Amino acid sequence: MKSRYHENGYFVIRNLFTVEEISIVSEVLIEFHELWMKRNLEYYTKGVINSAYITGTEYLDQAKRNLLFQFIGSSKLMTVVSNILPQRHAAFMNTQLFFDPMDKEQKNYWHRDPQYNLSLDQQKEALNGPEVIHFRIPLVDEPGIELVPKSHKNWDSEEELDVRLQRNNRKNCEDLSTGYIVELNAGDLLVFSANIIHRGLYGMDRLSLDILFCEPERSLSQFINEDCLPSRDFLENIENPSAFMNTLKLKAER
């Protein structure tokens, strides 16, 4: 796993989670999604395709939050996380839920996650770390994601940069010659770098949970919401709480 990730910037484990495991988590996430939709319908109509801070207190009661904390800190998932980021270097960062846009004709778009808060030079520097990694778990079969392998370490080609940044009359929804499609089914786990050039593929009423882990670097702590963390008392109920513990320690050091 580690060698595949470092070489290509992503890898997939097929059928990692059982139907029962996905069903239990789906029940909580669908409740969150329905409540989020009611309160954020205006954003949805304007093209939003994901929500965040799922483990926060705004939408879910404590019992459902705890269920998600236990899933995130399960030995099954944390074994994969620790293979990429050693336990002392893996911090829980955030959760996101990805869904289809309201407008079925809405185009998807190529991007690197850091482009929304970093300059071009800073984006180049981000390729050297610290690491932020998506662990994506589709709740239903879906078209998946398209990405540019190895771009987590390699800077954009002229074509990629023109399309990603919509330069020289190019659009960020255009196909890239370097793009590679990864189809996903319910229960798979897709691991990919936040730095990699990628775009989501819409359709099939997709609903995917993304759990983001990062290296415990102070520069990343600004993106971590304390409301989304478990209480210290609950840590003993989590199989492998190391990522949460690293996050709590990081926040305390700020």
Side-chain angles (χ1 to χ4, degrees), residues 208-222:
S208 276
L209 170 65
D210 271 30
I211 305 167
L212 280 73
F213 293 91
C214 65
E215 294 181 88
E217 294 288 336
R218 189 168 298 178
S219 61
L220 298 174
S221 64
Q222 62 181 307

Side-chain angles (χ1 to χ4, degrees), residues 195-210:
N195 280 321
I196 205 167
I197 301 173
H198 65 284
R199 63 175 176 177
L201 300 177
Y202 307 151
M204 298 174 66
D205 294 323
R206 68 174 185 153
L207 196 63
S208 276
L209 170 65
D210 271 30

